[in-house]
Structures are given as structure tokens and as C-alpha cells.
Amino acid sequence: MSTDKQEREPLFSAKNRKLLTNPLNIDNPITVQVLGICSALAVTAKIKPAFVMALSVMIVTAFSNFVISLMRNGIPPRIRIIVQLVVIASLVIVVDQVLKAFVYDVSKQLSVFVGLIITNCILMGRLEAFAMVNKPWPSILDGIGNGLGYGIILIILGFVRELFGSGTIWGFHVIPEAFYDFGYKNNGFMILPPMALIIVGIIIWIQRSRNPELIEN
Amino acid sequence: MYSNAYIFRYAGLMVILVAAILSSAAMLLKPMQERNEAVDKMQSILDAAGIENVNSKNAIELFNQYVTKMIVIDEKGVITDEYKDAGKENSEAFKVNLKEQLYNKSINRSFKLPLYVLEKDGEKINIVPLRGVGLWGPIWGNIALKDDFNTVIGVTFGHKSETPGLGAEIETPVFTDLFPGKKIFNEKGDFVSVGVIKGGIENFPADVQRHNVDAISGGTITSNGVNDMIKNVLESYVPYIQKRE
């Protein structure tokens, strides 16, 4: 097989675009692959932390997918999980150290997420399923796509929970004072993690009823 | 198929490489990080005192401008170190390791704790730095008391890893704005601290309201942590406060 005859695949071919869009719907990491649930429950009581978490996970999945994809031909299969973990953990630590030195405020915001990113199953899932057997560019796209798919669910959850749990969106009050005068109360249950699980369940339900190919026999 | 020797070589090389990258990153960035931490500490102290428009750029300047006295006191209420001149960030009071000293306190050993005195509009403000445990990790903060060492002027809190949206809310104004005006001594002059309680503060009698604020729904353990932290730290200053009266 000579490489000069082989036609170069365009950067955003139909196949590559699918890598970005599939995780948003039929291959969503949370609702279909059911990965990363724990962090989705933990950080979505408000939209802002949900957004920060989504962004951080997206960046780390993209980079770790890229690095592992570059190394994929040399990694001995017997220790591949360890290698993947080392890559993820060191990436996250380096980013954390740099943030602490240059943008301390952001790093204070991120403090808790750093640990949650390392333990997020989506990262290892994508490395194992995709980056180990694909080229770097598609791996980056897959990382971004899965980060987005994860992020979109987090933001939906954050939106619903913050709106009904605290009456705010991104910290701003949106439910008019008059509602409270008529006896409307914020739903305290919305703030607690079990409610997030119920909302995830509802999202999965809606998604499955709209996509027949997701329904198992 | 990879040989065992290859696997060992690969793992060894990877570990050395990663260790080198991480430790050099940590070493290179350390001075900047330490400076950021000191600035953040000053910012937090100034915030607790209610000084406005503090940011990371003017924190050092404002700190030197407002802070008039920095002392270290021991468990008997005796002042062991006092620093007044410039270069306050190098003074002993600023460098006290709270974690260590509070540990000493917990095992009944002698301890030394810092107290910062600020002057704003001719009024003295006493700042006591706090440190305790939340749900997942350490929490800390500063509490500003009036000259009488009784009325709370303001508080700031910080945390390492409390749950976002729940326990982490302790650092937001929604929670910290509940503190100003609360008293740490009751009418008889006994120390009661400022507590964090469940159940809606407006349902309690006035003498409970005087010394307590509402906890955060869904953040009970962090709220309890704040409660214990304030009590544990402030009670260490009681000998000093009683001595100066």
C-alpha cells in the first residue's frame, strides 16, 4: 500500500463529523453509554459549576485522546490501563498547576473538579474504545464530541435543577417575586443528588422514545 | 506480542518521564503559586473586614494600608509576637500554620494563633483566621469582629473540595451575608460562638437568632463544619479577649 496514491481524507469528512455529533444524541456518554453519572449528579445543582465541569472534561478528553492516540502503537496491551491513567492524571495535574500559578481565581473555582475529572469514566472509556485504535485527529474530534455530549446533559440538568431548586439561572433570579407571594416555594428536593438521577432517567426516557434504534429487544 | 523486558522498560521510562515533567512543573511554578496564595489570604482578610473593591492587584497595597497590628497569641491569651512595620507578609503572624496549631490544640498541647487588627474609618476591626473540616476536605475563612470582640462585622469562607452548588455555597454572599450583626458572647458575657442551625432561623426565639444563622439545604455536613470551625477557633481567643477587658 503506497501512501502517495491514497487520497487524503478531508479534516471534516462525513465520518469525522459523525464523531462530533453522535455523542450528542445516539451515542451520548451519559444517557446511552451510562458513563460519568456520578459527576453528573454531583455538580449540577447550579448551572455554573455544571458548565465549568463540562468545559474541563471536554478539554481533558480531547487532549488525553490525542496523546494516547499518538502513543497507541507502542503501548503494551497488558499495562495499557495504567498508561492511560498516568496520561490522564499527569495532564490534569499539569493543567491544575499552571492555573494555580497564572489564573488563581479560576483554579479556586476548579479545585473540586480536578479530582472529579481524573475519575470520570468517560475519559478512560474513550481512551480504551477509541483512541487506542484510531489516528490522532479523529481521536481529538471524538474527545471533543464526547465532552460536548456530556456537557449538554450536564447543562440541561443544571438548568432544570437550578430553576426549580433555587429559582435562579446562572445565579440570577428569574422566578418573579410575585410567585413567592402567592405561595410558590423552591423545591428543596431538586438540589439533592437523587433528583438529578430522576431527571437523567426522564431524559433517557424521552431520548429512547424518539430514537427507535436505541430500544433493545 | 510484547516481551516482559519491553513492558518493564516502557513502564520505567514512562514513570521517570512523567515524574520529571510533573516535578519540574511544580518547582517552576511554586514561587508564583505561593505569591498567589499570600495575595488570596490578604484579599480574604480585607473582604471579611468589609473593605470594598479589593482585587488581586491592589491587595498587597491595601493590606499594608489598612492593617495596623498583627499579633500572635498563645492559649493563655498572652501576646508572644507583635509586628507593626512594613513587609507584613513576612511577619510571624501572617505565616502561622493554622492547621498545625489547631492540631496542637486538639491534643492539648500549647498553641499560637494570629490576630490581625485593621483600622477603617477610625474604627478597629479584629480579624481571626479560621480553619476546619468540611465534608470532603478542609474549609477555612476569616471572621471580622468589632472592637468589642463581640459583634460580627463580616466573614469569608473558602474550601478545598466541597460539593458545588451545595456545600460550596458557603463562600457565596447568600451565606456569608447572614453573619454580620451576630454576637459571639451572650448577655451574661459567656462565650457561645456563632452557630449554623437547621430549621429556618425565623422559627427560633430571639436569643437563638442572636447567635445563629441558617444552614445550607443539602449541605448539612459542610454547614456543621462551619459551625464547629468558628466555635473551635474563636474559643481559643477567649482568654485573650477576657484579659484585655
Side-chain angles (χ1 to χ4, degrees):
Chain A
M1 193 173 81
S2 61
T3 43
D4 47 327
K5 271 185 193 167
Q6 201 182 349
E7 206 166 317
R8 277 182 68 94
E9 206 184 345
L11 280 182
F12 287 99
S13 61
K15 208 174 92 205
N16 282 347
R17 277 202 308 274
K18 268 222 154 66
L19 292 174
L20 275 177
T21 53
N22 270 358
L24 291 179
N25 189 8
I26 58 163
D27 200 17
N28 188 284
I30 296 185
T31 60
V32 180
Q33 301 172 27
V34 200
L35 294 174
I37 292 279
C38 10
S39 57
L41 306 189
V43 301
T44 54
K46 296 265 159 68
I47 290 186
K48 205 172 164 190
F51 180 79
V52 175
M53 181 72 185
L55 198 68
S56 338
V57 166
M58 195 173 88
I59 293 168
V60 178
T61 39
F63 275 101
S64 57
N65 261 8
F66 175 68
V67 173
I68 287 289
S69 176
L70 285 179
M71 297 162 65
R72 70 187 188 282
N73 294 325
I75 300 176
R78 268 190 269 171
I79 57 165
R80 68 184 190 284
I81 303 276
I82 301 171
V83 175
Q84 291 162 9
L85 259 183
V86 168
V87 168
I88 297 170
S90 26
L91 264 177
V92 172
I93 293 170
V94 167
V95 171
D96 182 47
Q97 295 282 333
V98 170
L99 289 179
K100 253 189 202 146
F102 295 105
V103 271
Y104 194 73
D105 294 338
V106 178
S107 109
K108 264 191 354 190
Q109 288 261 322
L110 276 176
S111 59
V112 62
F113 299 104
V114 173
L116 285 173
I117 295 168
I118 297 177
T119 55
N120 198 316
C121 333
I122 294 172
L123 289 168
M124 294 263 307
R126 290 332 291 169
L127 294 182
E128 183 71 2
F130 199 91
M132 287 295 285
V133 286
N134 282 286
K135 290 193 173 134
W137 174 244
S139 296
I140 293 181
L141 292 180
D142 180 76
I144 296 175
N146 276 280
L148 282 175
Y150 172 76
I152 197 163
I153 300 293
L154 245 66
I155 287 169
I156 294 172
L157 276 175
F159 179 82
V160 175
R161 291 179 70 193
E162 190 176 347
L163 180 64
F164 294 108
S166 317
T168 56
I169 296 292
W170 201 276
F172 296 105
H173 278 277
V174 288
I175 293 188
E177 222 31 62
F179 277 42
Y180 291 98
D181 296 340
F182 280 117
Y184 174 84
K185 280 224 159 83
N186 289 327
N187 187 345
F189 192 39
M190 274 287 175
I191 304 178
L192 303 175
M195 200 61 205
L197 197 60
I198 293 172
I199 300 170
V200 171
I202 294 172
I203 294 173
I204 294 178
W205 179 19
I206 296 171
Q207 195 190 9
R208 294 211 167 195
S209 61
R210 289 174 62 104
N211 294 287
E213 69 261 44
L214 290 177
I215 300 168
E216 303 99 347
N217 293 319
Chain B
M1 200 57 203
Y2 296 95
S3 68
N4 282 348
Y6 177 83
I7 292 176
F8 275 108
R9 271 207 311 276
Y10 192 95
L13 198 70
M14 179 183 71
V15 169
I16 292 166
L17 207 70
V18 168
I21 293 172
L22 289 186
S23 48
S24 48
M27 262 160 51
L28 282 174
L29 300 172
K30 190 136 205 232
M32 281 179 263
Q33 291 171 354
E34 275 172 355
R35 183 164 181 79
N36 284 338
E37 273 159 30
V39 168
D40 187 62
K41 192 169 166 184
M42 291 179 188
Q43 229 175 313
S44 168
I45 291 169
L46 294 167
D47 277 343
I51 290 157
E52 279 156 10
N53 302 323
V54 184
N55 57 43
S56 48
K57 290 191 186 71
N58 63 13
I60 298 180
E61 189 191 325
L62 287 174
F63 189 80
N64 284 321
Q65 179 189 333
Y66 281 105
V67 176
T68 53
K69 200 165 120 185
M70 299 173 80
I71 54 174
V72 181
I73 54 179
D74 66 7
E75 70 278 7
K76 294 185 198 78
V78 180
I79 298 173
T80 61
D81 187 83
E82 183 159 2
Y83 202 87
K84 277 178 177 169
D85 305 319
K88 293 184 176 101
E89 65 256 44
N90 294 322
S91 72
E92 199 179 319
F94 195 72
K95 283 184 170 168
V96 168
N97 185 341
L98 269 185
K99 188 180 165 191
E100 218 168 79
Q101 299 301 332
L102 290 171
Y103 174 73
N104 286 349
K105 178 180 181 239
S106 71
I107 55 169
N108 292 322
R109 244 195 263 156
S110 67
F111 56 87
K112 285 174 182 165
L113 292 168
L115 177 74
Y116 312 121
V117 184
L118 277 71
E119 232 173 274
K120 186 193 166 199
D121 307 330
E123 248 185 287
K124 275 192 179 152
I125 302 171
N126 303 295
I127 306 269
V128 175
L130 307 167
R131 192 181 169 94
V133 286
L135 171 58
W136 306 113
I139 53 176
W140 56 82
N142 290 288
I143 185 162
L145 302 168
K146 271 197 182 149
D147 200 23
D148 62 0
F149 275 102
N150 188 9
T151 316
V152 178
I153 295 175
V155 289
T156 52
F157 294 119
H159 64 90
K160 179 149 192 284
S161 46
E162 296 311 295
T163 321
L166 301 173
E169 296 290 289
I170 54 168
E171 60 183 6
T172 62
V174 181
F175 185 64
T176 54
D177 284 352
L178 300 172
F179 284 85
K182 302 286 171 190
K183 311 271 184 195
I184 65 167
F185 289 93
N186 68 12
E187 272 129 351
K188 284 184 223 130
D190 298 324
F191 174 71
V192 285
S193 178
V194 177
V196 182
I197 53 169
K198 274 175 136 183
I201 192 77
E202 65 275 9
N203 303 325
F204 287 93
D207 61 318
V208 175
Q209 291 193 17
R210 229 171 88 98
H211 303 294
N212 291 282
V213 299
D214 265 329
I216 294 166
S217 315
T220 304
I221 297 178
T222 310
S223 301
N224 290 347
V226 171
N227 183 57
D228 299 345
M229 166 172 80
I230 297 176
K231 187 161 189 181
N232 179 38
V233 175
L234 283 185
E235 76 180 6
S236 329
Y237 290 81
V238 170
Y240 170 75
I241 297 169
Q242 280 164 350
K243 209 167 248 182
R244 59 184 281 290
E245 271 164 1

Tab-separated table of all heavy atoms in Angstrom, chain B residues 170-218:
chain	number	residue	atom	x	y	z
B	170	ILE	N	-20.999	27.890	50.785
B	170	ILE	CA	-20.561	28.657	51.962
B	170	ILE	C	-19.752	29.877	51.571
B	170	ILE	O	-19.703	30.836	52.314
B	170	ILE	CB	-19.732	27.826	52.975
B	170	ILE	CG1	-18.550	27.166	52.299
B	170	ILE	CG2	-20.600	26.819	53.712
B	170	ILE	CD1	-17.550	26.584	53.288
B	171	GLU	N	-19.117	29.855	50.399
B	171	GLU	CA	-18.283	31.018	50.069
B	171	GLU	C	-19.068	32.105	49.346
B	171	GLU	O	-18.526	33.156	49.050
B	171	GLU	CB	-17.055	30.594	49.258
B	171	GLU	CG	-17.362	29.920	47.958
B	171	GLU	CD	-16.103	29.450	47.225
B	171	GLU	OE1	-15.014	29.556	47.791
B	171	GLU	OE2	-16.251	28.989	46.081
B	172	THR	N	-20.345	31.873	49.055
B	172	THR	CA	-21.122	32.872	48.327
B	172	THR	C	-21.750	33.872	49.310
B	172	THR	O	-21.976	33.559	50.470
B	172	THR	CB	-22.254	32.212	47.524
B	172	THR	OG1	-23.129	31.557	48.442
B	172	THR	CG2	-21.719	31.206	46.533
B	173	PRO	N	-22.078	35.086	48.815
B	173	PRO	CA	-22.709	36.100	49.673
B	173	PRO	C	-24.038	35.609	50.253
B	173	PRO	O	-24.411	36.025	51.357
B	173	PRO	CB	-22.951	37.264	48.705
B	173	PRO	CG	-22.007	37.065	47.582
B	173	PRO	CD	-21.793	35.603	47.468
B	174	VAL	N	-24.746	34.730	49.537
B	174	VAL	CA	-26.009	34.201	50.038
B	174	VAL	C	-25.845	33.682	51.464
B	174	VAL	O	-26.715	33.847	52.317
B	174	VAL	CB	-26.509	33.049	49.125
B	174	VAL	CG1	-27.833	32.507	49.620
B	174	VAL	CG2	-26.600	33.503	47.688
B	175	PHE	N	-24.714	33.049	51.726
B	175	PHE	CA	-24.450	32.501	53.050
B	175	PHE	C	-23.704	33.495	53.933
B	175	PHE	O	-24.115	33.742	55.075
B	175	PHE	CB	-23.659	31.194	52.911
B	175	PHE	CG	-23.433	30.473	54.213
B	175	PHE	CD1	-24.495	29.965	54.940
B	175	PHE	CD2	-22.155	30.311	54.717
B	175	PHE	CE1	-24.293	29.306	56.145
B	175	PHE	CE2	-21.937	29.649	55.918
B	175	PHE	CZ	-23.012	29.156	56.627
B	176	THR	N	-22.645	34.111	53.415
B	176	THR	CA	-21.807	34.960	54.271
B	176	THR	C	-22.553	36.216	54.730
B	176	THR	O	-22.264	36.738	55.800
B	176	THR	CB	-20.506	35.373	53.562
B	176	THR	OG1	-20.839	35.972	52.318
B	176	THR	CG2	-19.608	34.190	53.315
B	177	ASP	N	-23.536	36.676	53.941
B	177	ASP	CA	-24.290	37.875	54.333
B	177	ASP	C	-25.189	37.638	55.544
B	177	ASP	O	-25.757	38.573	56.094
B	177	ASP	CB	-25.130	38.395	53.164
B	177	ASP	CG	-24.279	39.109	52.134
B	177	ASP	OD1	-23.085	39.313	52.418
B	177	ASP	OD2	-24.788	39.444	51.054
B	178	LEU	N	-25.335	36.390	55.961
B	178	LEU	CA	-26.175	36.101	57.121
B	178	LEU	C	-25.462	36.441	58.434
B	178	LEU	O	-26.084	36.585	59.472
B	178	LEU	CB	-26.545	34.608	57.151
B	178	LEU	CG	-27.318	34.057	55.953
B	178	LEU	CD1	-27.422	32.540	56.065
B	178	LEU	CD2	-28.703	34.668	55.880
B	179	PHE	N	-24.124	36.564	58.368
B	179	PHE	CA	-23.351	36.656	59.608
B	179	PHE	C	-23.286	38.038	60.265
B	179	PHE	O	-23.347	38.118	61.495
B	179	PHE	CB	-21.937	36.106	59.385
B	179	PHE	CG	-21.894	34.610	59.332
B	179	PHE	CD1	-22.149	33.923	58.158
B	179	PHE	CD2	-21.612	33.880	60.472
B	179	PHE	CE1	-22.125	32.540	58.115
B	179	PHE	CE2	-21.586	32.494	60.448
B	179	PHE	CZ	-21.840	31.825	59.264
B	180	PRO	N	-23.119	39.126	59.483
B	180	PRO	CA	-22.927	40.420	60.142
B	180	PRO	C	-24.024	40.729	61.162
B	180	PRO	O	-25.203	40.495	60.907
B	180	PRO	CB	-22.962	41.421	58.986
B	180	PRO	CG	-22.506	40.637	57.810
B	180	PRO	CD	-23.033	39.252	58.026
B	181	GLY	N	-23.620	41.234	62.329
B	181	GLY	CA	-24.592	41.595	63.363
B	181	GLY	C	-24.757	40.530	64.427
B	181	GLY	O	-25.273	40.800	65.504
B	182	LYS	N	-24.318	39.296	64.139
B	182	LYS	CA	-24.455	38.231	65.153
B	182	LYS	C	-23.449	38.457	66.281
B	182	LYS	O	-22.413	39.091	66.072
B	182	LYS	CB	-24.206	36.854	64.505
B	182	LYS	CG	-25.137	36.546	63.349
B	182	LYS	CD	-26.522	36.225	63.810
B	182	LYS	CE	-27.477	36.147	62.631
B	182	LYS	NZ	-28.874	36.056	63.005
B	183	LYS	N	-23.761	37.926	67.458
B	183	LYS	CA	-22.882	38.127	68.616
B	183	LYS	C	-22.232	36.800	68.991
B	183	LYS	O	-22.861	35.737	68.880
B	183	LYS	CB	-23.693	38.605	69.826
B	183	LYS	CG	-24.623	39.758	69.505
B	183	LYS	CD	-23.927	41.076	69.688
B	183	LYS	CE	-24.923	42.198	69.449
B	183	LYS	NZ	-24.303	43.482	69.257
B	184	ILE	N	-20.983	36.883	69.489
B	184	ILE	CA	-20.331	35.646	69.913
B	184	ILE	C	-20.402	35.436	71.425
B	184	ILE	O	-20.103	34.360	71.917
B	184	ILE	CB	-18.874	35.542	69.410
B	184	ILE	CG1	-17.991	36.623	70.024
B	184	ILE	CG2	-18.806	35.609	67.903
B	184	ILE	CD1	-16.512	36.344	69.803
B	185	PHE	N	-20.777	36.495	72.178
B	185	PHE	CA	-20.983	36.332	73.618
B	185	PHE	C	-22.457	36.585	73.939
B	185	PHE	O	-23.091	37.421	73.295
B	185	PHE	CB	-20.128	37.335	74.405
B	185	PHE	CG	-18.658	37.018	74.367
B	185	PHE	CD1	-17.841	37.596	73.403
B	185	PHE	CD2	-18.097	36.132	75.275
B	185	PHE	CE1	-16.489	37.290	73.349
B	185	PHE	CE2	-16.745	35.833	75.230
B	185	PHE	CZ	-15.948	36.409	74.264
B	186	ASN	N	-23.012	35.878	74.915
B	186	ASN	CA	-24.397	36.137	75.299
B	186	ASN	C	-24.466	37.297	76.287
B	186	ASN	O	-23.450	37.891	76.646
B	186	ASN	CB	-25.072	34.860	75.822
B	186	ASN	CG	-24.501	34.406	77.152
B	186	ASN	OD1	-23.756	35.138	77.798
B	186	ASN	ND2	-24.842	33.191	77.560
B	187	GLU	N	-25.697	37.606	76.738
B	187	GLU	CA	-25.851	38.797	77.573
B	187	GLU	C	-25.072	38.716	78.882
B	187	GLU	O	-24.640	39.714	79.436
B	187	GLU	CB	-27.349	39.051	77.858
B	187	GLU	CG	-27.983	39.891	76.772
B	187	GLU	CD	-29.254	39.266	76.224
B	187	GLU	OE1	-29.545	38.104	76.570
B	187	GLU	OE2	-29.950	39.923	75.440
B	188	LYS	N	-24.893	37.469	79.370
B	188	LYS	CA	-24.148	37.313	80.621
B	188	LYS	C	-22.647	37.415	80.406
B	188	LYS	O	-21.864	37.406	81.353
B	188	LYS	CB	-24.472	35.947	81.238
B	188	LYS	CG	-25.839	35.903	81.891
B	188	LYS	CD	-26.041	34.548	82.559
B	188	LYS	CE	-27.425	34.021	82.292
B	188	LYS	NZ	-27.429	32.640	81.805
B	189	GLY	N	-22.240	37.453	79.142
B	189	GLY	CA	-20.813	37.556	78.857
B	189	GLY	C	-20.129	36.215	78.699
B	189	GLY	O	-18.907	36.131	78.703
B	190	ASP	N	-20.943	35.136	78.561
B	190	ASP	CA	-20.329	33.825	78.323
B	190	ASP	C	-20.151	33.603	76.831
B	190	ASP	O	-20.975	34.033	76.017
B	190	ASP	CB	-21.216	32.711	78.890
B	190	ASP	CG	-21.384	32.831	80.392
B	190	ASP	OD1	-20.404	33.232	81.043
B	190	ASP	OD2	-22.494	32.549	80.879
B	191	PHE	N	-19.084	32.867	76.489
B	191	PHE	CA	-18.809	32.600	75.079
B	191	PHE	C	-19.803	31.564	74.537
B	191	PHE	O	-19.965	30.499	75.092
B	191	PHE	CB	-17.379	32.081	74.922
B	191	PHE	CG	-17.051	31.654	73.524
B	191	PHE	CD1	-16.907	32.598	72.524
B	191	PHE	CD2	-16.916	30.306	73.217
B	191	PHE	CE1	-16.603	32.213	71.231
B	191	PHE	CE2	-16.619	29.915	71.924
B	191	PHE	CZ	-16.465	30.871	70.931
B	192	VAL	N	-20.504	31.898	73.417
B	192	VAL	CA	-21.411	30.928	72.798
B	192	VAL	C	-21.094	30.691	71.328
B	192	VAL	O	-21.645	29.786	70.721
B	192	VAL	CB	-22.886	31.360	72.913
B	192	VAL	CG1	-23.410	31.158	74.308
B	192	VAL	CG2	-23.096	32.775	72.450
B	193	SER	N	-20.243	31.526	70.725
B	193	SER	CA	-19.890	31.399	69.310
B	193	SER	C	-21.070	31.742	68.408
B	193	SER	O	-22.167	32.048	68.879
B	193	SER	CB	-19.392	29.989	69.008
B	193	SER	OG	-19.097	29.850	67.634
B	194	VAL	N	-20.830	31.713	67.097
B	194	VAL	CA	-21.906	31.904	66.121
B	194	VAL	C	-22.176	30.552	65.492
B	194	VAL	O	-21.271	29.948	64.920
B	194	VAL	CB	-21.505	32.931	65.042
B	194	VAL	CG1	-22.608	33.069	64.005
B	194	VAL	CG2	-21.207	34.266	65.669
B	195	GLY	N	-23.385	30.073	65.616
B	195	GLY	CA	-23.708	28.734	65.140
B	195	GLY	C	-24.408	28.735	63.794
B	195	GLY	O	-24.914	29.747	63.332
B	196	VAL	N	-24.415	27.541	63.176
B	196	VAL	CA	-25.153	27.349	61.932
B	196	VAL	C	-26.187	26.273	62.223
B	196	VAL	O	-25.820	25.151	62.574
B	196	VAL	CB	-24.205	26.887	60.809
B	196	VAL	CG1	-24.948	26.729	59.501
B	196	VAL	CG2	-23.067	27.880	60.645
B	197	ILE	N	-27.493	26.614	62.135
B	197	ILE	CA	-28.502	25.628	62.537
B	197	ILE	C	-29.524	25.373	61.441
B	197	ILE	O	-29.747	26.195	60.559
B	197	ILE	CB	-29.231	26.049	63.838
B	197	ILE	CG1	-29.789	27.464	63.705
B	197	ILE	CG2	-28.320	25.919	65.034
B	197	ILE	CD1	-30.730	27.834	64.830
B	198	LYS	N	-30.128	24.210	61.531
B	198	LYS	CA	-31.161	23.795	60.577
B	198	LYS	C	-32.536	24.237	61.072
B	198	LYS	O	-32.740	24.427	62.254
B	198	LYS	CB	-31.176	22.269	60.523
B	198	LYS	CG	-30.194	21.665	59.562
B	198	LYS	CD	-30.262	20.161	59.718
B	198	LYS	CE	-30.281	19.481	58.377
B	198	LYS	NZ	-30.426	18.035	58.523
B	199	GLY	N	-33.468	24.339	60.155
B	199	GLY	CA	-34.855	24.503	60.545
B	199	GLY	C	-35.438	25.885	60.347
B	199	GLY	O	-36.559	26.145	60.752
B	200	GLY	N	-34.692	26.789	59.709
B	200	GLY	CA	-35.259	28.120	59.443
B	200	GLY	C	-35.118	29.000	60.658
B	200	GLY	O	-35.832	28.843	61.649
B	201	ILE	N	-34.215	29.953	60.583
B	201	ILE	CA	-33.849	30.763	61.749
B	201	ILE	C	-35.038	31.560	62.290
B	201	ILE	O	-35.148	31.808	63.491
B	201	ILE	CB	-32.654	31.687	61.369
B	201	ILE	CG1	-32.046	32.329	62.595
B	201	ILE	CG2	-33.036	32.746	60.378
B	201	ILE	CD1	-31.172	31.415	63.369
B	202	GLU	N	-35.998	31.923	61.383
B	202	GLU	CA	-37.097	32.782	61.846
B	202	GLU	C	-38.062	32.016	62.762
B	202	GLU	O	-38.896	32.630	63.436
B	202	GLU	CB	-37.847	33.412	60.653
B	202	GLU	CG	-38.586	32.454	59.736
B	202	GLU	CD	-37.693	31.858	58.645
B	202	GLU	OE1	-36.461	32.050	58.704
B	202	GLU	OE2	-38.232	31.195	57.738
B	203	ASN	N	-37.905	30.680	62.823
B	203	ASN	CA	-38.779	29.906	63.700
B	203	ASN	C	-38.252	29.809	65.133
B	203	ASN	O	-38.850	29.140	65.974
B	203	ASN	CB	-38.957	28.488	63.154
B	203	ASN	CG	-39.509	28.500	61.748
B	203	ASN	OD1	-40.317	29.376	61.414
B	203	ASN	ND2	-39.073	27.574	60.921
B	204	PHE	N	-37.099	30.429	65.374
B	204	PHE	CA	-36.492	30.300	66.703
B	204	PHE	C	-36.670	31.583	67.508
B	204	PHE	O	-36.851	32.659	66.937
B	204	PHE	CB	-34.997	29.985	66.567
B	204	PHE	CG	-34.732	28.570	66.117
B	204	PHE	CD1	-34.584	28.266	64.772
B	204	PHE	CD2	-34.651	27.547	67.045
B	204	PHE	CE1	-34.352	26.964	64.361
B	204	PHE	CE2	-34.407	26.241	66.643
B	204	PHE	CZ	-34.263	25.953	65.296
B	205	PRO	N	-36.598	31.512	68.841
B	205	PRO	CA	-36.701	32.720	69.662
B	205	PRO	C	-35.520	33.666	69.437
B	205	PRO	O	-34.485	33.260	68.909
B	205	PRO	CB	-36.704	32.190	71.100
B	205	PRO	CG	-36.164	30.813	71.020
B	205	PRO	CD	-36.517	30.288	69.672
B	206	ALA	N	-35.698	34.910	69.877
B	206	ALA	CA	-34.717	35.956	69.573
B	206	ALA	C	-33.329	35.647	70.118
B	206	ALA	O	-32.323	35.970	69.480
B	206	ALA	CB	-35.199	37.288	70.138
B	207	ASP	N	-33.250	34.977	71.293
B	207	ASP	CA	-31.921	34.733	71.849
B	207	ASP	C	-31.166	33.671	71.063
B	207	ASP	O	-29.934	33.598	71.118
B	207	ASP	CB	-32.014	34.363	73.344
B	207	ASP	CG	-32.819	33.104	73.552
B	207	ASP	OD1	-33.856	32.974	72.877
B	207	ASP	OD2	-32.425	32.251	74.366
B	208	VAL	N	-31.885	32.826	70.304
B	208	VAL	CA	-31.214	31.871	69.418
B	208	VAL	C	-30.793	32.588	68.138
B	208	VAL	O	-29.691	32.400	67.621
B	208	VAL	CB	-32.131	30.674	69.099
B	208	VAL	CG1	-31.466	29.745	68.086
B	208	VAL	CG2	-32.471	29.897	70.362
B	209	GLN	N	-31.684	33.453	67.642
B	209	GLN	CA	-31.386	34.200	66.416
B	209	GLN	C	-30.140	35.078	66.555
B	209	GLN	O	-29.426	35.317	65.597
B	209	GLN	CB	-32.582	35.076	66.041
B	209	GLN	CG	-33.764	34.258	65.585
B	209	GLN	CD	-34.840	35.110	64.916
B	209	GLN	OE1	-34.597	36.235	64.520
B	209	GLN	NE2	-36.029	34.558	64.796
B	210	ARG	N	-29.939	35.566	67.798
B	210	ARG	CA	-28.793	36.422	68.071
B	210	ARG	C	-27.453	35.739	67.748
B	210	ARG	O	-26.483	36.390	67.394
B	210	ARG	CB	-28.802	36.753	69.566
B	210	ARG	CG	-28.647	38.201	69.942
B	210	ARG	CD	-28.910	38.320	71.433
B	210	ARG	NE	-27.696	38.120	72.192
B	210	ARG	CZ	-26.938	39.099	72.668
B	210	ARG	NH1	-27.270	40.338	72.446
B	210	ARG	NH2	-25.853	38.840	73.359
B	211	HIS	N	-27.414	34.432	67.923
B	211	HIS	CA	-26.125	33.729	67.824
B	211	HIS	C	-26.060	32.695	66.703
B	211	HIS	O	-25.124	31.932	66.639
B	211	HIS	CB	-25.831	32.994	69.148
B	211	HIS	CG	-25.825	33.883	70.340
B	211	HIS	ND1	-24.887	34.861	70.502
B	211	HIS	CD2	-26.634	33.955	71.412
B	211	HIS	CE1	-25.117	35.497	71.635
B	211	HIS	NE2	-26.181	34.969	72.200
B	212	ASN	N	-27.104	32.638	65.857
B	212	ASN	CA	-27.105	31.571	64.859
B	212	ASN	C	-27.536	32.068	63.481
B	212	ASN	O	-28.248	33.050	63.364
B	212	ASN	CB	-28.042	30.447	65.293
B	212	ASN	CG	-27.526	29.702	66.496
B	212	ASN	OD1	-26.637	28.874	66.379
B	212	ASN	ND2	-28.052	30.027	67.666
B	213	VAL	N	-27.110	31.340	62.455
B	213	VAL	CA	-27.562	31.624	61.094
B	213	VAL	C	-28.111	30.330	60.479
B	213	VAL	O	-27.867	29.225	60.981
B	213	VAL	CB	-26.418	32.159	60.206
B	213	VAL	CG1	-25.860	33.447	60.747
B	213	VAL	CG2	-25.327	31.127	60.055
B	214	ASP	N	-28.839	30.492	59.350
B	214	ASP	CA	-29.417	29.347	58.648
B	214	ASP	C	-28.343	28.492	57.990
B	214	ASP	O	-27.415	29.009	57.381
B	214	ASP	CB	-30.353	29.850	57.555
B	214	ASP	CG	-31.788	29.911	58.018
B	214	ASP	OD1	-32.157	29.080	58.861
B	214	ASP	OD2	-32.528	30.771	57.525
B	215	ALA	N	-28.502	27.179	58.072
B	215	ALA	CA	-27.605	26.270	57.363
B	215	ALA	C	-28.015	26.211	55.888
B	215	ALA	O	-29.028	26.779	55.482
B	215	ALA	CB	-27.676	24.882	57.991
B	216	ILE	N	-27.206	25.514	55.087
B	216	ILE	CA	-27.494	25.386	53.653
B	216	ILE	C	-28.203	24.060	53.397
B	216	ILE	O	-27.708	23.001	53.809
B	216	ILE	CB	-26.183	25.437	52.847
B	216	ILE	CG1	-25.549	26.818	52.994
B	216	ILE	CG2	-26.424	25.113	51.382
B	216	ILE	CD1	-24.128	26.882	52.535
B	217	SER	N	-29.372	24.107	52.732
B	217	SER	CA	-30.074	22.867	52.412
B	217	SER	C	-29.204	22.006	51.515
B	217	SER	O	-28.658	22.491	50.532
B	217	SER	CB	-31.375	23.158	51.657
B	217	SER	OG	-32.054	24.201	52.261
B	218	GLY	N	-29.089	20.743	51.868
B	218	GLY	CA	-28.287	19.832	51.056
B	218	GLY	C	-26.811	19.916	51.382
B	218	GLY	O	-26.019	19.183	50.823
